Amino acid sequence: MADTTSQFDAVVVGAGFSGMYMLKALRDRLGLKVRVCEAGETIGGTWYWNRYPGARCDSDSYIYCFTWDKQLLQEWEWSERYPEQPEILRYLEHVAQRHDLKRDIQFDTRVTGAEFDEVTRLWRVRTDTGGEVTASFLIAAVGSLSDTNLPPFKGLNQFKGKWCHTSRFPQGGIDFTGKRVAVVGTGATAVQAIPEIAQQAKQLTVFQRTANYCVPARNGKVDPELVKARKAAYEGVVERIKDSFFGFEHYFIPKPVLATTPEEREREFDRMWDAGGFAFWLANYQDMFFDQKANDLCADYIKRKIRKTVKDPVVAEKLIPKGYAYGTKRQPLDTNYYETFNKDNVLLVDANTDGGIEEITATGIRAGGKEYEFDIIVFATGFDAMTGPLKALNLKGRGGRTLDRQWAGGPHTYLGVAVAGFPNLFTITGPQSPSVLSNMPVSIEQHVEWITDCIEHMRKTGKTTIEATPEAQDQWVAHVNEIVNQTLMTGANSWYMSANIAGKPRAFLPYLGPEGVGGYRRKCDEIAANGYQGFALA
Ligand code: NA7
């Protein structure tokens, strides 16, 4: 689109699920003049960038979509239980076309900095295309997992083969046929990619730093009768996921696992295991998140499954998670992941038993003093989650303050949607909101609607700025930490705990509310109904 105007009511950064809906709501509901800046060449965000083999959503497709377009809920047909990356992109392209979104999105444009001008009360937003625009509101729709983490491995620049990160996979893919391939990392991404790459590669070597607890995805076609029944009752589905703990139709078993008989819990574990997906994680016995003994019972079930699936007992032992509680790292969903290690062309190099990566060499990787040769290295090393993409915006709030400085000890936000000292900035699914601990579209829609209502309220009441108070923010941060400190989550070196990246201050990034996304939604609505309690409006 032509960059002819420079003054907007709102600038939205990012055109994934959140940016697209934010544009729709502000433009078509409130009639605002909105500009969306998107670094990619088209819409999609996370789903534009993450095009590695096997990339697929881990939420069921019938709830991984926009629920505000009721007609589309009826019309759109997903091909499988979990939508694959190209299918999600097709869906989002369809939404963009249907709601004429692209005319307000400037593609191939990365926001490089933004400052709040305290005199004009406008945000001045700069981009890498050299442009500068101003806006009353700045809305970060940058995604929680969009800032690539490529660890500073020594020697990467001397590698003579091809390498890439899964979140910046080349368009058109990579042909692994006949190649010696390394995958570094065993998180949710690698668990999807490894079985796919192993089918093509001559030799695949997986470098594991921490073994993960994987549960079966059980992807496949959904029974047409079930699809029909869900469509007929979509309103109920939407109400339930909005009011649920994690934005799914999953509910904890309230009875403590420690109060069950071995037979009873084995039956329940089998049922969840057979259901596939996040059932084993999010519809398990609730005490497993709080009590190590309860957790051990769930973890033990998975360990037995791993030992049963992986034929070589030495490899199986390497794949058994150790040293942290089940469910405290993001649950990877497995489609032939463990089976892949039974293949003759697949080798597992485990940092704990074989030695960690020391260096990337001209011909491959040296780990544990041993040289491994590769044609291609795939880094599935994750993201600087949640705070990374916001810091990368180089924001300057009141008095030139920066997030880098304010968040030196970890994120400080109010509700995960606002930051004290940064007026008229909203962060969709920002740190300390349920975000990544929920089915993302549910949390995205909640934030977008709350922000839209807030801006509408400001316009009706003649307010020009809104800003979280430091007191409300401090209380929120304390509340977020107090709750998570009662769980086992803090014991894992997870990206939830900011522990995947050396030097990142250890802090829990999302919000694990006592009543989940439903309770968080009620809290946000109550704050709005009480005249935006904890915010200063001027
Ligand atoms: P993750 O879950 O952060 O996984 C990254 C993997 O890379 C994980 O196994 C890491 O080991 C490993 N890693 C990271 N840094 C290094 C270094 N320096 N050396 C060796 N290995 C390393 O990212 P994903 O992309 O898989 O998933 C991110 C989210 O995307 C996922 O949770 C879904 O929400 C979608 P570690 O476990 O930290 O020891």
Side-chain angles (χ1 to χ4, degrees):
M1 64 173 297
D3 189 6
T4 48
T5 39
S6 64
Q7 212 176 329
F8 296 90
D9 295 314
V11 164
V12 177
V13 190
F17 265 90
S18 50
M20 288 172 67
Y21 184 30
M22 195 74 249
L23 166 61
K24 170 75 185 166
L26 293 181
R27 187 191 70 185
D28 295 351
R29 206 184 104 192
L30 300 191
L32 300 195
K33 200 168 148 199
V34 185
R35 158 69 50 91
V36 181
C37 297
E38 165 56 55
E41 64 186 342
T42 187
I43 48 95
T46 293
W47 296 108
Y48 168 79
W49 295 104
N50 284 270
R51 51 180 101 90
Y52 58 86
R56 189 182 286 285
C57 183
D58 287 337
S59 295
D60 287 58
S61 46
Y62 78 102
I63 49 168
Y64 197 82
C65 50
F66 289 124
T67 67
W68 49 268
D69 188 333
K70 304 270 180 270
Q71 203 188 338
L72 188 58
L73 280 180
Q74 295 300 325
E75 287 171 12
W76 188 264
E77 299 287 346
W78 294 102
S79 69
E80 288 176 299
R81 176 170 176 184
Y82 305 101
E84 216 182 348
Q85 179 262 348
E87 190 170 16
I88 301 175
L89 265 195
R90 272 201 303 282
Y91 168 78
L92 291 175
E93 286 285 350
H94 179 74
V95 173
Q97 202 172 20
R98 189 178 161 91
H99 295 279
D100 193 15
L101 297 181
K102 286 195 180 179
R103 72 180 149 96
D104 293 305
I105 307 175
Q106 192 174 329
F107 293 106
D108 297 309
T109 303
R110 184 175 289 279
V111 168
T112 52
E115 282 168 31
F116 184 71
D117 183 325
E118 294 184 56
V119 178
T120 59
R121 299 179 171 188
L122 296 173
W123 278 96
R124 272 209 307 271
V125 185
R126 287 184 309 282
T127 66
D128 63 355
T129 58
E132 182 173 294
V133 297
T134 59
S136 303
F137 297 97
L138 177 63
I139 300 165
V142 290
S144 308
L145 297 157
S146 53
D147 196 19
T148 296
N149 171 39
L150 181 66
F153 290 113
K154 191 174 149 204
L156 181 56
N157 56 357
Q158 59 188 354
F159 181 57
K160 296 232 161 42
K162 226 189 238 180
W163 68 267
C164 71
H165 191 281
T166 44
S167 73
R168 293 292 180 272
F169 219 72
Q171 294 274 16
I174 296 178
D175 185 5
F176 293 104
T177 317
K179 305 287 190 210
R180 298 162 305 169
V181 183
V183 170
V184 179
T186 52
T189 297
V191 169
Q192 290 185 336
I194 284 165
E196 298 291 322
I197 297 174
Q199 284 185 42
Q200 282 182 32
K202 183 165 103 191
Q203 167 71 38
L204 171 66
T205 306
V206 175
F207 289 86
Q208 170 181 275
R209 185 166 74 175
T210 311
N212 242 315
Y213 293 94
C214 306
V215 303
R218 304 211 188 284
N219 188 34
K221 299 272 171 234
V222 180
D223 177 355
E225 287 306 313
L226 179 57
V227 173
K228 222 160 95 187
R230 280 174 175 158
K231 287 201 177 201
Y234 240 130
E235 255 171 58
V237 169
V238 172
E239 282 316 305
R240 281 195 297 281
I241 58 176
K242 282 183 170 178
D243 195 41
S244 68
F245 207 101
F246 292 111
F248 294 90
E249 292 196 276
H250 286 315
Y251 307 94
F252 288 125
I253 304 172
K255 181 176 181 179
V257 69
L258 292 173
T260 59
T261 63
E263 297 73 27
E264 180 186 356
R265 61 177 172 262
E266 195 71 4
R267 240 186 351 262
E268 287 293 340
F269 289 154
D270 283 346
R271 181 184 56 73
M272 291 180 276
W273 191 263
D274 293 344
F278 288 150
F280 201 89
W281 189 32
L282 305 179
N284 212 314
Y285 294 95
Q286 195 165 4
D287 55 340
M288 77 155 195
F289 281 102
F290 299 93
D291 187 308
Q292 188 61 54
K293 282 205 182 85
N295 194 283
D296 288 344
L297 293 172
C298 305
D300 176 64
Y301 181 89
I302 302 182
K303 291 176 185 178
R304 282 188 275 136
K305 291 284 187 190
I306 298 171
R307 290 192 176 105
K308 213 164 135 193
T309 310
V310 180
K311 297 209 174 90
D312 181 336
V314 177
V315 179
E317 269 334 285
K318 291 182 190 179
L319 288 166
I320 298 287
K322 293 163 197 83
Y324 67 98
Y326 167 62
T328 55
K329 294 185 80 156
R330 164 60 151 79
Q331 173 69 73
L333 293 191
D334 154 18
T335 303
N336 294 325
Y337 177 67
Y338 290 119
E339 286 85 348
T340 297
F341 292 94
N342 293 333
K343 290 172 87 118
D344 292 337
N345 66 330
V346 177
L347 176 72
L348 178 65
V349 178
D350 173 42
N352 296 301
T353 51
D354 304 311
I357 297 175
E358 287 149 11
E359 192 178 359
I360 312 289
T361 65
T363 54
I365 294 179
R366 193 171 60 245
K370 208 170 153 201
E371 305 274 345
Y372 300 85
E373 294 197 346
F374 301 113
D375 304 304
I376 305 168
I377 303 176
V378 176
F379 293 99
T381 44
F383 302 90
D384 184 351
M386 304 198 76
T387 50
L390 291 170
K391 284 185 178 180
L393 293 176
N394 295 311
L395 304 179
K396 284 199 175 139
R398 278 195 198 284
R401 71 187 68 201
T402 64
L403 290 180
D404 262 339
R405 243 183 300 141
Q406 292 220 162
W407 290 359
H412 281 69
T413 76
Y414 184 37
L415 302 169
V417 79
V419 186
F422 293 79
N424 292 1
L425 167 74
F426 294 107
T427 54
I428 302 175
T429 63
Q432 298 169 333
S433 74
S435 55
V436 292
L437 281 180
S438 70
N439 177 32
M440 285 303 277
V442 175
S443 290
I444 287 169
E445 290 191 358
Q446 186 247 331
H447 267 182
V448 166
E449 286 159 15
W450 191 91
I451 294 164
T452 308
D453 290 345
C454 175
I455 293 176
E456 187 177 36
H457 167 84
M458 288 175 69
R459 289 167 74 88
K460 278 192 183 144
T461 53
K463 307 289 187 204
T464 53
T465 59
I466 182 163
E467 187 176 354
T469 67
E471 297 75 31
Q473 179 167 283
D474 287 348
Q475 274 173 24
W476 184 253
V477 175
H479 169 66
V480 169
N481 292 329
E482 188 193 334
I483 290 178
V484 76
N485 285 339
Q486 294 164 27
T487 72
L488 300 173
M489 301 293 283
T490 52
N493 288 328
S494 62
W495 61 258
Y496 293 146
M497 285 303 300
S498 320
N500 59 325
I501 295 177
K504 191 168 172 176
R506 193 174 179 98
F508 188 64
L509 295 173
Y511 170 55
L512 182 59
E515 293 168 57
V517 300
Y520 172 80
R521 173 189 304 271
R522 286 189 289 279
K523 174 98 190 150
C524 291
D525 289 349
E526 199 182 291
I527 283 169
N530 290 337
Y532 292 90
Q533 222 172 5
F535 287 95
L537 284 139

